[in-house]
């Protein structure tokens, strides 16, 4: 249907509308959520209502409950699949560790695996995919001259570089290992 706009006023729904499914959000606490309002003028009826409301906020011995249908509805199948190994291990450890400790152990174990994988990937990438004179991809990794301080036996030494030392991207190391690739007349 061309030109149909479900919101004729042309605005996107607010965050509160998204969270409540299109119904305007309303706090169930009422005006007594602020301490000043409670201290100002509360009727006996409001005091009883507030006491009942606070009592309702306490969890029973059966709560919180794990509802498998809710878990399946909120977690997509791919996420459930990659969470399965650690969920299985820590479900077995739950009687030993307790629910809360098992939850946090599972949480931080997953983060540690991801962090280790990222570090290993970075190490591999920087070790084996640096830019050389033969490739036009990868990171440029440059090494600085070592720091020499007074008291070091090499102290007064100044590192002398030839013009061909700059930006060679590993060409000279390649030339030393593969002397067949160098033209004997020019040295390059």
């Amino acid at each position: 249907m061309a030109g149909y706009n479900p919101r004729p006023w042309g605005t996107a729904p607010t965050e509160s509308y998204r969270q409540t499914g299109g119904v305007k959000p309303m706090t169930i606490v009422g005006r007594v959520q602020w301490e000043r309002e409670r201290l100002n003028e509360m009727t006996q009826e409001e005091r009883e209502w507030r006491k009942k409301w606070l009592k309702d906020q306490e969890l029973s011995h059966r709560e919180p409950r794990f509802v498998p249908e809710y878990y399946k509805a909120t977690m997509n199948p791919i996420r459930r699949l990659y969470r399965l190994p650690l969920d299985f291990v820590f479900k077995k450890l739950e009687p030993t560790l307790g629910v809360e400790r098992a939850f946090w152990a599972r949480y931080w174990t997953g983060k540690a695996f991801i962090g280790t994988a990222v570090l290993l990937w970075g190490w591999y990438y920087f070790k084996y995919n640096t830019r050389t004179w033969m490739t036009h991809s990868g990171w440029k990794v440059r090494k600085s001259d070592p720091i020499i301080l007074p008291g070091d036996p090499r102290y007064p030494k100044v590192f002398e570089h030839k013009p061909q030392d700059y930006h060679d991207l590993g060409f000279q190391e390649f030339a030393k290992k593969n002397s067949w690739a160098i033209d004997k007349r020019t040295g390059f």
Side-chain angles (χ1 to χ4, degrees), residues 3 9 17 66 90 105 129 138 152 188:
W9 49 89
Y17 262 52
F66 177 72
F90 284 99
N129 294 313
D152 192 329
F188 291 107

Side-chain angles (χ1 to χ4, degrees), residues 125 129-132 134-140:
Y125 185 81
N129 294 313
T130 56
R131 188 170 183 174
T132 64
M134 293 186 286
T135 61
H136 294 289
S137 63
W139 293 83
K140 290 182 183 178

Side-chain angles (χ1 to χ4, degrees), residues 58-65:
E58 295 174 11
L59 296 177
S60 75
H61 60 84
R62 298 177 299 150
E63 294 178 313
R65 295 186 61 178

Side-chain angles (χ1 to χ4, degrees), residues 13 49-50 86 91 96-97 117 121 138 149 172 176:
W49 179 83
R50 171 89 176 154
L86 285 179
K91 197 64 162 171
T96 309
L97 296 175
W121 174 83
L149 301 172
Q172 291 181 18
K176 287 177 188 173

Side-chain angles (χ1 to χ4, degrees), residues 15-28:
E15 187 61 32
S16 59
Y17 262 52
R18 282 192 207 108
Q19 291 174 352
T20 59
V23 179
K24 283 192 175 185
M26 181 186 86
T27 176
I28 61 169

Side-chain angles (χ1 to χ4, degrees), residues 23-88:
V23 179
K24 283 192 175 185
M26 181 186 86
T27 176
I28 61 169
V29 181
R31 72 178 185 88
V32 292
Q33 66 182 334
W34 298 286
E35 187 176 2
R36 180 173 280 178
E37 286 288 327
R38 289 195 301 273
L39 294 174
N40 191 12
E41 297 175 11
M42 277 183 74
T43 64
Q44 189 60 32
E45 182 183 337
E46 286 176 329
R47 288 180 208 282
E48 290 171 9
W49 179 83
R50 171 89 176 154
K51 184 178 176 183
K52 182 181 174 188
W53 182 81
L54 287 173
K55 179 88 171 119
D56 290 342
Q57 301 309 304
E58 295 174 11
L59 296 177
S60 75
H61 60 84
R62 298 177 299 150
E63 294 178 313
R65 295 186 61 178
F66 177 72
V67 181
E69 292 79 19
Y70 180 76
Y71 177 75
K72 286 184 179 179
T74 55
M75 299 271 191
N76 68 42
I78 297 169
R79 187 171 181 194
R80 287 196 312 253
L81 183 68
Y82 75 73
R83 288 176 56 100
L84 192 64
L86 285 179
D87 283 346
F88 177 77

